[in-house]
Amino acid sequence: MYFSLHENMMRVSTVTKEVKNTLWSKEQTDNMLTDKTRAATGYFIQDAGDIIFSGYAKASWEFLLHHVMVIWCFLYAVFTHQYVAGAVVALFVEVNSVFLHTRLLLKLAKVAPNSYIYSVNKLLNVLTYVTFRLGAQFYLTWYLIHHYSSLNHAFYFLTTMMLMNIMILIYFYRLLRSDFFSKGLPHNSGRKFAED
């Protein structure tokens, strides 16, 4: 958990600095962004392995499908040096992961949903979900549609993005239903919250 939180914070600060810093050559910036994409690919491979080997693959099949799509896109970016900027923009969705993981920890600790800390995290979670997950995802989709004719393998990436868009909208619906419209339903009892 600490690695994920630390990795997400470092990713955002590093990417922000790299994008703003115009003193570096394009090649140096491209190499650093490709390295970030490589590291993120490793994280997704490790997380997919964790889901499989911890026995949650059946309950978390949609997360595995998401990870496979991300890994495939990121590996394409790493090996071809194309779509690297898109992969970096896609990593901004991980800012929201801080609040999603905090939500999971609060549920595991059986913190009351009406407590102050849960309520604050709930609002930050929705705010970052809309800003970083939905915003980044829909920007990338718009970009692919707008530049479709000039991009290599655009059909594959657009299809992948559309599948991911459907998935994150379903996740968003689940999040809203669980945190804002649950009508006093009890917390999950120690499971991985795959349906949450």
Side-chain angles (χ1 to χ4, degrees), residues 14 43-44 65 77 82 102 157 178 182 187 191-192:
T14 304
Y43 166 76
F44 280 105
L65 175 61
Q82 297 176 348
T102 302
F157 286 101
S178 175
S182 64
H187 276 305
R191 294 189 313 259
K192 185 137 174 138

Side-chain angles (χ1 to χ4, degrees), residues 30-48:
D30 288 348
N31 288 340
M32 283 187 281
L33 296 180
T34 302
D35 288 345
K36 301 297 178 219
T37 306
R38 279 189 198 107
T41 304
Y43 166 76
F44 280 105
I45 291 169
Q46 180 276 328
D47 197 42

Side-chain angles (χ1 to χ4, degrees), residues 39-106:
T41 304
Y43 166 76
F44 280 105
I45 291 169
Q46 180 276 328
D47 197 42
D50 180 55
I51 292 169
I52 292 167
F53 295 120
S54 64
Y56 291 107
K58 192 173 184 179
S60 302
W61 68 268
E62 69 270 13
F63 295 118
L64 285 175
L65 175 61
H66 171 268
H67 280 30
V68 167
M69 289 189 292
V70 170
I71 290 165
W72 180 256
C73 290
F74 281 16
L75 286 175
Y76 181 91
V78 167
F79 288 117
T80 66
H81 297 280
Q82 297 176 348
Y83 296 101
V84 174
V88 172
V89 170
L91 289 175
F92 278 103
V93 304
E94 296 303 321
V95 171
N96 174 249
S97 293
V98 172
F99 301 101
L100 282 173
H101 287 113
T102 302
R103 176 181 181 268
L104 178 60
L105 289 174
L106 292 171

Side-chain angles (χ1 to χ4, degrees), residues 112-124:
N114 60 351
S115 69
Y116 178 74
I117 190 164
Y118 194 95
S119 297
V120 169
N121 188 71
K122 180 168 62 172
L123 292 173
L124 290 171

Side-chain angles (χ1 to χ4, degrees), residues 73 110 126 129 182:
C73 290
K110 297 183 180 3
V126 169
Y129 201 102
S182 64

Side-chain angles (χ1 to χ4, degrees), residues 21 110 113 132 186:
N21 192 344
K110 297 183 180 3
F132 292 102

